[in-house]
Structure formats: structure tokens, C-alpha cells
Amino acid sequence: MRPTPTTLPDDVPDQASTTTEATARRADTEPTSAPSGRFLAKATLLTTGLSMAGMLLGLVRDQFLARFFGASGETDALLVAWILPELVAAVLVDGGMVIVLIPVFSVALARRARGALAPDPVRELIASTLPWLGLAFAAVAAVFIAGAPLLVSVLAPGLPDPSLAVDCTRITATCVLTFGLLGYCSAALQAHRSYLAPATISLVSNSAIVATMVALAGHWGVRSAALGVALGGCLALTVLALTLRRRIAVGPRQPASADAGEGGRSLTLTLVATVLLFALCRHSQVFVERHFGSALPAGAVSHLNYAQKVGQYPMVLALTLAVVTYPLLTQAVAQGDMRRARDRIERDLVLVSCIALLGAAAIVACAPQMVHLLFQRGAFTAEDTEATAAILRAYTLGMLGHTLVGALVRSYFSAGRATWYPVGAMAAGMVATAVIAAWAVGPWGACGIAAANAVGITLSALLLLSGLGRRSVAVRVRRVVTELAKPVGAAVGAAGAGFVCAQSFSSPPAALAAGCLGVTAVYLLLVWALDAAGARSLARSAFLTIRRSLTRKQKHGH
């Protein structure tokens, strides 16, 4: 049996003997066995830590944007152009390419592990898919560059001066090619259980945006932020491409065995279409928001953007667990171990919901204080803070829905087969968002648009959850719903307690600290009392692990 890797899932070789190093590299190159809990913990911590660093730098990016340009018609024009890189990142980096390609790479790795080495299935897969995908990405990028005026007129017909948005859109359109290739490299690396380089995408991209704004904001205005998006994509792609090249270069070169002729799972156009259409429908809610927001007074689109950026952080952090476990899920399905796949899905759905709901409770309790500390400086005024905080609370009503959609879609495509049900579920949510936003934008403005987003994504999540047992791995849906009700109840109680704590202080920093402490304390207490996500057994295991570690250190000291 192949040994399970226990080192950090990065590209730094182990400083052990030659035999141990070769074994560890083979285990990493051919990741088909079930990993240990220690490996999962380290991989999750690594991915979460780098993702948090990237998100914090994203906040710095938004703070610079608010400081230099505030919430104005100029930032509205930039954010209309920013729809394109956000869409491409959601479709090709965070969702589509990873969801499509990891199951296909998992099958290739399983074939390699069974002895299919001439030709190497992994290299053969890359050679047969990467060239035509790259050409497709380049062609779409060229179309967006040429059609930028038409795109801006469709996305934001209410902009008073669309020329600035057209310029920014043409600059950011290059990300179609770079982000598409980023998604491909990220999927290949994650299938090999290499998480370090993919987790740095946000960190590298945001670093480039911040640096470009600082250097060129005085001369180029908001166009400097658009240029930063283009440069960030190129820089991140360089990092991932070099990492993947090293990873593939150490592949096996032994003769083929008797079962080398077994066919692998192909990357079909239907599979690509279903996943990309799902991701497009999911991100189309942003189109709805920007479309209706462009007709509101200047700054409304910017308020929606700032609120959305803050509101998505708990969801992104929660889904880092799904990022780590998705290759394990696809490998279990590829090996026919459906019970392990079912348990993986059920456990992940509850865990990611618990993490996201803690953040949602903190946002509901302390939204004004958060926005004040993050953005209220320079051109960003107290009125902007009030408007953004109200929108942020409305967005948070859909936090659980966004998190569940991100986790559930991986379950539907874990077998690497096309299915149209997720596209239909997401399209239903998009239609609901558009209809409700059209009705609510009049009386409630931007808050009505955010509430429509929450309703639409929650509808999609319910549809995906109800169809999971019949159209994907046979998950026990009723059991999942029962377990999800526990953290939801805990989040409601914690949000109320945190709000009371925050209102006791007039200083925003003190109110935020008190509110977050109150939310955390009450949430953890309720999660323990309800035993949500097996909290009691998890805490007991963590305590025993820490105690064993301390005991081992004491014995070593003697």
C-alpha cells in the first residue's frame, strides 16, 4: 500500500534520506490513497492562512480604492469594468475549471497508480486539453476587447460617462486568457494535492493591484486599478505555471503494465458547458446588481461593491475546506468508494456552514463598526459608511445560501460527468434575483437589490440540496438538513448577543471588539450545546491531541 503523505502540501522537498524523499514524492505525484487527518489539517491550515492573507490584502486594495477615489462616478465606472475579471475569476479560477478538471485529473492519476505509464496519463491529458483551451481563452479575450463599448452599454446603461468604463474594460479583458490558464494550473496542482501555489493567487493578484494603484493613481486615475488586475493575472500565472512544470517533470517513466490500455475519463464539451454555464449563472447576480444599481444616484454601485467584498469573506474562508477536500472526494468517486464520498460530502456541508454562519452573525451584529474601521477615511464619508453597512446586513441574509451553493456544486460534478440540474437550479435563482430586484429597487434602493440577491441564492441552494440525493452521490439529505438547523439557530442567538454587546460602546473599535467577542462566545456555547458538526467529539479529539503533544515534549525533555 502506498504511504500517506504527512508533510506540508507544498513544493519544498523533505530533508530526509533519499529513500524517504523518493517515497514522499511518489505519494505526492500519485495521490490516490486516503490522506491522514494530519495531512488534511495541515493542508486546510495552509490554504486558509494564505487565503486570509489574500483577503486581507484585498481589504487593503479596497481601502486604497476608497481613499483615492471614494464612492463616486469614477469608481462606478471602474466597478462596471471590474465585472469582467470578477466573472472570469468566478467561472474559471474559483469554480468552473477547477470543478471540471479535478475529476478528470483524478482519473488520470488513478490510471497512473494502476500502472498506465506509457504514455503517462497525466502528461497525455495536459497535451490533449491545454492547447485548445488556451486558444479558446485567447479568442474570447479578443472578443471582449473589441466589444467593450457594447458590453458597457448593456451592463450599465445609466452611466453618465461610459468612456472611462470602456477603457478599463479593455484593460481588464486580458484576464480572460490569464485567469483561464490560472484555473487550469490550479486544478492540476490541487489534483496532485499541491495547495501552496493555488492558495497564493489572491495574494499575488491583490499585491499587483495595490502596487499599481500606489504608483500610477496620480497619472492614470482608476485606470491604474484596471492595469493592476491585468498585471496581477500575469504574475500569478507565472507562479502557478512554473510550479506545475516542476510537478509534472517528476512524473514516472516506467514501462506500461498490463492494464495500461484502460481508458480514462475524457474532457467533453458538454461537461465543460454545464459547469461554465452554472458558474456564469451564479455570477450573473452581480450583473443584475450593477444593472439596477447604475440607475441609482452616483455611488450606489460602489456601496454595493464594498458591502459585497466584506460580506463574502466568511464564505470564502469556509469554502477553503471544500477546496482541500474536493480532490479527495473526486478520488473516492474515481475509485468507486461511494460510502467515503457520501461521508465526505455530508461532513463538509455542515462544517463549511458552521464556519460561514459565525462570520455572518458577526457581520449582522457589527456591520456599521466594520465598515467604519475598514473604509471611512479620505473620500469615503460617514454617509457612505451608513449606506454600505445597511447593504452589508442585507447581503448577509444570503450567506448560508452562497456557502452551500459553493460546496454543493462540487458534489454534483465530482464524478466528472455532465448534469444540467445545477444549471437549472442556478438559473432559477438568477431569475428570482432579477424579478425581486426590479420590484424592490424602487422603494428600498440598493438594500432592495442586496435582499434580492439573498433570496435568489437561497432558492438555488435549496434546489441543489433537495436534488442532491437523486442526481449525485447518495447523500442523506434529511440528515444534512437536520444538522444544518443547529448552526443556524446558534448564529441567530449569537447575532442578537453580539448586537447588544456592540451597542454598549460608542467607540467603533471598542464596539466591534465587544460585539465580535460576544458573538464568538455565544456561538461556540450554542454549537457545543447543540453538538453541531460533532463539536463535542472534535473538541475532545483536539484536547487529546494537544495533551499527547505536550506529554511527548515533556518526555523528550527528560
Side-chain angles (χ1 to χ4, degrees):
M1 181 177 292
R2 181 174 292 101
T4 300
T6 57
T7 55
L8 270 176
D10 55 24
D11 297 311
V12 180
D14 195 9
Q15 301 299 320
S17 65
T18 304
T19 302
T20 304
E21 182 176 342
T23 302
R25 175 169 290 183
R26 186 164 59 252
D28 184 56
T29 306
E30 305 171 282
T32 57
S33 59
S36 66
R38 183 182 176 189
F39 174 84
L40 287 178
K42 287 184 176 182
T44 303
L45 287 174
L46 175 70
T47 305
T48 301
L50 289 172
S51 298
M52 287 183 64
M55 286 189 293
L56 289 175
L57 196 55
L59 283 176
V60 173
R61 176 204 66 201
D62 290 340
Q63 287 173 342
F64 273 103
L65 193 63
R67 184 181 183 86
F68 289 150
F69 311 111
S72 61
E74 193 175 10
T75 55
D76 286 353
L78 171 67
L79 294 172
V80 169
W82 216 312
I83 292 176
L84 186 56
E86 287 178 342
L87 170 65
V88 175
V91 173
L92 299 180
V93 181
D94 300 330
M97 295 303 296
V98 171
I99 293 172
V100 167
L101 288 170
I102 285 182
V104 181
F105 272 102
S106 295
V107 171
L109 288 165
R111 291 182 61 219
R112 171 193 283 179
R114 289 194 295 267
L117 306 177
D120 174 34
V122 176
R123 292 196 186 103
E124 185 181 27
L125 174 61
I126 293 175
S128 64
T129 56
L130 184 56
W132 68 267
L133 283 174
L135 288 174
F137 297 146
V140 174
V143 169
F144 279 125
I145 291 173
L150 177 61
L151 181 64
V152 170
S153 66
V154 171
L155 292 177
L159 283 179
D161 181 15
S163 61
L164 180 59
V166 171
D167 291 344
C168 293
T169 299
R170 283 180 168 147
I171 296 171
T172 58
T174 58
C175 69
V176 176
L177 174 59
T178 55
F179 284 14
L181 297 178
L182 268 175
Y184 189 98
C185 294
S186 180
L189 287 169
Q190 289 180 45
H192 284 80
R193 294 183 191 167
S194 178
Y195 300 101
L196 176 60
T200 63
I201 292 175
S202 178
L203 188 63
V204 173
S205 299
N206 284 324
S207 297
I209 296 172
V210 171
T212 308
M213 277 199 295
V214 171
L216 299 176
H219 301 284
W220 273 37
V222 294
R223 293 179 180 86
S224 61
L227 180 61
V229 173
L231 295 177
C234 295
L235 186 58
L237 177 59
T238 301
V239 173
L240 263 68
L242 292 175
T243 304
L244 180 59
R245 181 180 178 182
R246 290 197 302 269
R247 188 66 66 176
I248 300 303
V250 300
R253 300 181 183 276
Q254 293 90 356
S257 65
D259 63 350
E262 181 184 346
R265 186 171 297 152
S266 60
L267 184 62
T268 65
L269 181 60
T270 304
L271 173 61
V272 175
T274 53
V275 175
L276 295 188
L277 281 174
F278 169 85
L280 181 62
C281 288
R282 182 182 180 186
H283 199 73
S284 292
Q285 290 188 319
V286 178
F287 298 164
V288 173
E289 295 170 14
R290 301 283 164 87
H291 179 83
F292 288 106
S294 66
L296 295 173
V301 173
S302 300
H303 296 148
L304 286 163
N305 172 74
Y306 291 129
Q308 186 186 59
K309 291 295 188 297
V310 176
Q312 71 182 359
Y313 289 141
M315 175 200 69
V316 173
L317 279 179
L319 288 177
T320 56
L321 175 65
V323 169
V324 173
T325 59
Y326 183 53
L328 312 180
L329 171 61
T330 62
Q331 287 154 19
V333 173
Q335 296 164 15
D337 192 348
M338 304 310 293
R339 180 173 182 178
R340 178 157 61 98
R342 181 201 67 187
D343 293 344
R344 178 82 269 161
I345 293 171
E346 293 178 355
R347 190 180 304 114
D348 287 353
L349 287 176
V350 179
L351 284 174
V352 299
S353 299
C354 284
I355 298 170
L357 286 169
L358 173 58
I363 289 174
V364 170
C366 310
Q369 294 83 0
M370 288 182 181
V371 177
H372 181 279
L373 289 178
L374 290 173
F375 301 120
Q376 190 171 320
R377 57 185 61 84
F380 198 94
T381 66
E383 289 75 16
D384 294 326
T385 295
E386 183 180 357
T388 303
I391 297 169
L392 178 57
R393 279 175 168 154
Y395 266 134
T396 308
L397 298 176
M399 178 78 72
L400 180 60
H402 279 290
T403 305
L404 288 175
V405 166
L408 285 166
V409 67
R410 290 169 166 81
S411 306
Y412 278 92
F413 294 105
S414 58
R417 299 187 183 92
T419 171
W420 290 98
Y421 182 79
V423 179
M426 203 64 242
M430 180 186 66
V431 171
T433 299
V435 171
I436 296 172
W439 169 75
V441 67
W444 293 297
C447 286
I449 297 174
N453 178 297
V455 174
I457 198 66
T458 302
L459 173 62
S460 294
L462 291 173
L463 291 173
L464 288 172
L465 186 60
S466 64
L468 188 61
R470 301 187 302 273
R471 295 174 175 85
S472 179
V473 179
V475 171
R476 295 164 291 188
V477 176
R478 290 185 179 179
R479 179 176 178 178
V480 172
V481 172
T482 301
E483 290 298 314
L484 287 175
K486 298 177 181 178
V488 170
V492 172
F499 181 80
V500 172
C501 293
Q503 297 306 306
S504 303
F505 297 87
S506 57
S507 169
L512 180 60
C516 288
L517 286 174
V519 166
T520 303
V522 173
Y523 186 79
L524 293 179
L525 180 63
L526 292 176
V527 164
W528 172 271
L530 297 171
D531 195 25
R536 297 173 189 173
S537 61
L538 286 175
R540 192 178 303 112
S541 299
F543 173 76
L544 292 175
T545 301
I546 294 172
R547 188 174 69 175
R548 282 196 300 267
S549 177
L550 294 175
T551 303
R552 191 180 303 114
K553 289 180 180 180
Q554 291 173 356
K555 290 181 179 179
H556 181 71
H558 289 307

